[in-house]
Structures are given as structure tokens and as C-alpha cells.
Amino acid sequence: MTDTTLRRWYTTAWLLLGLAPPLIAVGDDTGPPRWAVFALLGAALAYTAVHRTRDHGPAYLAALAAGLGAMAVLPGGGAALLIAALPQFWFHSRGRGFAVLLSGCAAAATAAGSIVSDSPWKAAVALTGYGVSVLAGLLVHRLVADGEARAVVLATELSKTQEELAEAHRREGAADERERMAREIHDTLAQGFASIIVLAEAARTGLGGDPDRTARQLRSIERTARENFAEARVLVGSAPHSGLTPGSVVPTLRRTLERFAQDTGITVDAELAVDVDCDQQTRIALLRCTQESLANVRKHADASTVGVVLTQGPYAIELEITDDGRGFVVEESRGFGLDGMRKRLAELDGELTVTSSVGDGTRVLATFHTNGRP
């Protein structure tokens, strides 16, 4: 409950329980006390109506204390009216000291008025009510102060936690960016350099025997170096694309497979869909998975044939790459490339399945889910 709402509820209680009983008490009186009560209560009612929930200040509270003393002399006034008015001294005083002092003055004035009107028991009730109000007021002030202190502590802790969370997010973002850059470098530059090394070694070996083959290998080295240069520009942010122009990924995959067959002499059997409907990120992932799988075949498989099948169904795009090489134990593989492919596909709601055994070749299946799952 807000402070304004609390004051409104109290104003209602003050009107009903503070001002109404004296009016009822003098309802049958026809003498001057009746008009005096009406005048005092009318003034209090008018002031309350004008100022409502605003802070009234010391002047109002001093006048209220004097009015309560005057009412104690008149019919219908006294301890009950004082007790109904006491919360106002705590609402409108600027500090506990003023509240205790001004409400004490009001209690003293009420007690004096009650004694004058020959109602000493009302004086005792007024002083007792004042004592209880002081204890209750001090307790409420203490609770409010403790609550404000806790709020300050919580606000400080919240601010500190937010700063720590923001720093953690920055560190996590930096780590994710480093991992992404490492994956991109591995999938592009590192693979390109590995291809250049293999081609350069082969070209050096055949320098004196097969000039035409050596020339082809040198052209492949030059082409791969240019592609690596283009990828390096992408990674440093000076080029807009990442090795794949918008559109179908199939032509790019065909060129990649043709170059692989030309550079390695390995037979490639490709069954690629005429067109694949997917976004640019999925196209890039398809290309990177193909490049990584072919690089693993080149470096590790000792294969004679590679099969590549790209299909699109109602719920998924599947890229399957198989080879008839030496195979390996999947559970014992700790290569950065396979882990990078798995993470790349996971970011696109995809899955990577690798099946292999020693002597039986390898099957890599990359699945990209589209339009929900069946």
C-alpha cells in the first residue's frame, strides 16, 4: 500500500470516527456549545477538504492541538477525538521529535480541557492514548527506517549484481566470439593453407616429370591462396560475404567437389538437389560441412571414392558425405573440425551424425531442420 493510499484511508477514518461522533453528540443541543462544535468541526472539515493528502506542516498541527483542547471542553469532544487525530501528527511532522512534541501538546490540551469540563477520566484516557501512540509511532518509524535501509542495501546489491552480470555477459560474448573466429579460421584459412601445402609438395615432387600436372597444381595453389585472401578479408570485416553469394548453394558445392577431385585424384560421386530452399546461414553451414568433411578425407581417410548426396525434404535438408577410406573410432576422435561442425549445426537447430569404424570408411550426415519437425 502506498503512502498516498494510506493517507486517504486515514482521512476517511478521521471524517467518520473523528468528526462524526461530536456532531452526533451535540445533535439535540440548542445552546452555544452546539454552534461552537459546528464551527470547530467545520473549520477542520474545510481544511481537510482543501489540503486532502498533502503535508500540512507545523502551523496546522499547532492549530489542531489547540482545537482538540477546545473541543475537550465542549460536548462530544475529548479523548476519542484526540485518539482519532493522533496519526495526523505522525503523518505531517518532519521527524519523530516534532511528532512526539506536537502530539504531546495536543494530549496535554485535551487533558486540560477534559479536566475543565469535569471529565478527569477523559484526561486519563487522552494521556494513555498519547503514550500508546508514541510507542506505536516510534515502532513504525523504526520499521520504515529499517525498510529503507534494507532497500538501499538491496539496491546496492542489485546494482552490483547487474554490473557483474553485464561483465559476465561481456566475457561470455568475447569467449563466444573467439570460438566463432577460431571455427571460421579452421574452416576457411586453415583448410586452405593445408590444401596449399599438399599441392605445393605434390608440385615439387613432379617438377621434372609431368609439367602439365605441375602447372595445374600451381594454378590450384594460386586459386586457393586467392580464396584464402578473400576469406581473410571477410574475417577482418573488409568484405561483405563469406565465400558464398546469396542464392542456391548447389553450384558452389559442385565447384568445391570438382576442385577436390582435381587436386586429389579421388573419385567424387555427387547427387545434389537441383535447388535447395534455405537461408544464407544454412547455405554457409552446408558449404563449411562439405569443406571440413573433404579436408578430413584428404588428410586421414586414404580413400579412393567419396559420395556426396544433398536432398531437401518437407521437414529437413540433409547432406550426406561418405568415403571408402580407412575409417576410425568415432568415440576416440577429438578433432576440432567435428566439434566445430556440431556446434555450427546446433546453432541452426541441426544435427551432425558421424558413423565410422576401422576399415569400413566413414559416413557424415548433416541434418538441418526446416518448417518444424514431423
Side-chain angles (χ1 to χ4, degrees):
M1 181 181 295
T2 65
D3 182 66
T4 300
T5 303
L6 181 62
R7 292 190 182 200
R8 286 174 178 171
W9 276 106
Y10 171 70
T11 299
T12 302
W14 161 245
L15 294 174
L16 295 178
L17 304 178
L19 302 185
L23 291 174
I24 296 173
V26 297
D28 297 331
D29 199 327
T30 58
R34 177 187 183 184
W35 302 111
V37 169
F38 283 179
L40 289 172
L41 295 183
L45 182 62
Y47 195 92
T48 300
V50 170
H51 289 272
R52 291 182 294 182
T53 60
R54 300 178 188 175
D55 291 335
H56 298 297
Y60 165 75
L61 296 177
L64 178 61
L68 290 172
M71 283 293 299
V73 179
L74 299 171
L81 184 58
L82 169 69
I83 292 173
L86 282 173
Q88 293 197 45
F89 293 93
W90 293 93
F91 280 143
H92 304 301
S93 292
R94 295 179 174 85
R96 291 173 295 180
F98 277 106
V100 173
L101 175 63
L102 293 175
S103 62
C105 292
T110 301
S114 298
I115 293 173
V116 170
S117 64
D118 199 21
S119 301
W121 65 273
K122 291 184 179 180
V125 172
L127 295 176
T128 301
Y130 165 70
V132 173
S133 74
V134 169
L135 293 176
L138 293 176
L139 177 61
V140 170
H141 265 269
R142 177 63 179 273
L143 293 175
V144 171
D146 290 345
E148 291 176 349
R150 285 195 298 272
V152 170
V153 172
L154 289 175
T156 302
E157 292 179 351
L158 178 60
S159 177
K160 182 179 179 181
T161 302
Q162 289 175 334
E163 292 176 358
E164 292 175 350
L165 183 60
E167 179 62 26
H169 284 164
R170 284 193 292 269
R171 289 196 299 268
E172 182 180 1
D176 290 343
E177 181 62 16
R178 284 195 297 270
E179 182 179 346
R180 187 192 68 81
M181 288 294 295
R183 187 173 62 209
E184 292 295 335
I185 290 172
H186 174 273
D187 291 349
T188 56
L189 301 183
Q191 299 293 4
F193 287 135
S195 178
I196 289 173
I197 291 171
V198 172
L199 290 170
E201 290 175 345
R204 186 180 67 245
T205 302
L207 277 176
D210 190 347
D212 292 338
R213 182 181 179 186
T214 300
R216 289 196 302 271
Q217 291 167 336
L218 290 175
R219 284 193 295 271
S220 292
I221 290 173
E222 180 184 359
R223 187 165 53 244
T224 302
R226 291 184 183 278
E227 291 173 354
N228 263 23
F229 178 67
E231 289 291 352
R233 292 184 62 212
V234 170
L235 291 177
V236 299
S238 59
H241 302 300
S242 183
L244 185 66
T245 57
S248 175
V249 71
V250 174
T252 305
L253 291 182
R254 288 192 185 281
R255 289 193 299 270
T256 300
L257 296 175
E258 289 171 359
R259 285 192 51 195
F260 173 79
Q262 178 183 348
D263 292 344
T264 63
I266 298 174
T267 301
V268 177
D269 295 329
E271 296 180 17
L272 306 181
V274 176
D275 192 13
V276 175
D277 182 17
C278 60
D279 57 28
Q280 184 72 353
Q281 290 300 108
T282 303
R283 296 187 188 101
I284 293 173
L286 286 168
L287 176 61
R288 296 295 184 243
C289 288
T290 302
Q291 291 171 331
E292 175 62 24
S293 298
L294 295 179
N296 287 337
V297 171
R298 181 201 299 264
K299 290 186 291 185
H300 307 298
D302 191 24
S304 60
T305 303
V306 172
V308 180
V309 179
L310 176 65
T311 59
Q312 181 167 21
Y315 298 105
I317 299 170
E318 291 187 345
L319 173 66
E320 181 185 51
I321 302 175
T322 58
D323 68 73
D324 60 355
R326 62 168 60 98
F328 64 99
V329 179
V330 177
E331 292 74 15
E332 298 178 359
S333 174
R334 294 294 182 269
F336 183 85
L338 290 178
D339 290 341
M341 280 197 290
R342 289 191 180 95
K343 291 179 180 178
R344 187 186 292 276
L345 266 66
E347 292 173 358
L348 300 174
D349 191 27
E351 298 171 348
L352 182 72
T353 304
V354 180
T355 306
S356 182
S357 60
V358 177
D360 290 332
T362 301
R363 174 178 179 264
V364 176
L365 177 64
T367 304
F368 300 84
H369 298 287
T370 58
N371 301 322
R373 302 193 183 208

